[in-house]
């Protein structure tokens, strides 16, 4: 089961990388269209924002899995292995708790947007739930990955 979760996180990470690439491409194309051809497009900014939102939230679980989060190692480097494991457990528990709360509240926000038929106030007028869904989905994946990493931390240490 852990491998399946890891694969999902890695796949979301790869998808996020491609989304960020697409954002860069779209912005570059918009700059060329606007300043070279003086023909700006009305949709590029909103689509780029939506892709960036999705890419950011989808990447979170992969970033945690690969331990690429910002870490302040000043104190943990000076700790013994037992205290270091406790400190890492505490930080994973905090990530898990925050991600779980964000998942629940994000789902509530998405449900409200669908019920109220909210749209963006731009020319495209995209439904808000298109971008808001990234929050409960991304944080849901992060919740599961944090739980896996917490269990893995203790199982790995117990197996030594």
């Amino acid at each position: 089961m852990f491998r399946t979760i890891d694969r999902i996180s890695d796949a979301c990470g790869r998808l996020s990388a491609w989304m960020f690439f697409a954002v860069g491409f779209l912005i570059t194309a918009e700059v060329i269209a606007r300043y070279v051809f003086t023909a700006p497009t009305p949709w590029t900014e909103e689509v780029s924002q939506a892709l960036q939102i999705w890419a950011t939230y989808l990447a979170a679980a992969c970033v945690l899995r690969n331990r690429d989060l910002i870490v302040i190692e000043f104190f943990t480097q000076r700790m013994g292995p037992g205290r270091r494991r406790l400190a890492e457990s505490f930080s994973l528990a905090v990530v898990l708790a925050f991600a779980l709360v964000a998942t629940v509240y994000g789902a509530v926000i998405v449900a409200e947007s669908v019920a109220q038929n909210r749209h963006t106030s731009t020319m495209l007028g995209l439904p808000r739930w298109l971008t808001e869904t990234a929050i409960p989905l991304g944080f849901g994946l992060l919740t599961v990955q944090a739980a896996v990493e917490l269990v893995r931390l203790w199982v790995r240490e117990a197996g030594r």
Side-chain angles (χ1 to χ4, degrees):
M1 183 169 96
F2 285 8
R3 266 189 259 159
T4 301
I5 293 166
D6 290 343
R7 285 185 190 137
I8 292 169
S9 293
D10 289 342
C12 287
R14 285 189 297 279
L15 179 60
S16 293
W18 281 107
M19 286 177 166
F20 280 122
F21 177 79
V23 168
F25 179 80
L26 286 172
I27 291 172
T28 301
E30 176 63 16
V31 167
I32 292 169
R34 181 176 300 238
Y35 295 108
V36 175
F37 300 111
T38 58
T41 59
W43 55 270
T44 306
E45 181 180 355
E46 190 167 11
V47 170
S48 295
Q49 287 175 354
L51 285 172
Q52 190 170 8
I53 289 167
W54 272 98
T56 300
Y57 287 110
L58 283 179
C62 182
V63 170
L64 177 64
R65 172 175 152 48
N66 294 314
R67 297 288 199 255
D68 288 334
L69 294 169
I70 296 172
V71 177
I72 301 172
E73 296 176 335
F74 181 76
F75 295 110
T76 57
Q77 285 180 341
R78 290 163 173 69
M79 294 178 180
R83 285 189 177 175
R84 190 175 305 132
R85 182 171 54 172
L86 285 174
E88 191 171 349
S89 297
F90 176 75
S91 65
L92 284 170
V94 169
V95 168
L96 193 149
F98 178 80
L100 184 60
V101 169
T103 301
V104 171
Y105 281 105
V108 169
I109 290 169
V110 170
E112 288 175 358
S113 287
V114 170
Q116 296 174 5
N117 198 24
R118 290 187 200 144
H119 289 75
T120 59
S121 58
T122 61
M123 290 182 72
L124 284 182
L126 292 175
R128 285 241 187 240
W129 63 265
L130 282 176
T131 52
E132 291 171 346
T133 303
I135 295 168
L137 185 62
F139 276 112
L141 290 169
L142 183 60
T143 300
V144 173
Q145 190 67 52
V148 165
E149 296 304 318
L150 190 56
V151 170
R152 195 177 273 155
L153 177 67
W154 286 91
V155 170
R156 185 181 334 130
E157 293 297 322
R160 284 188 177 180

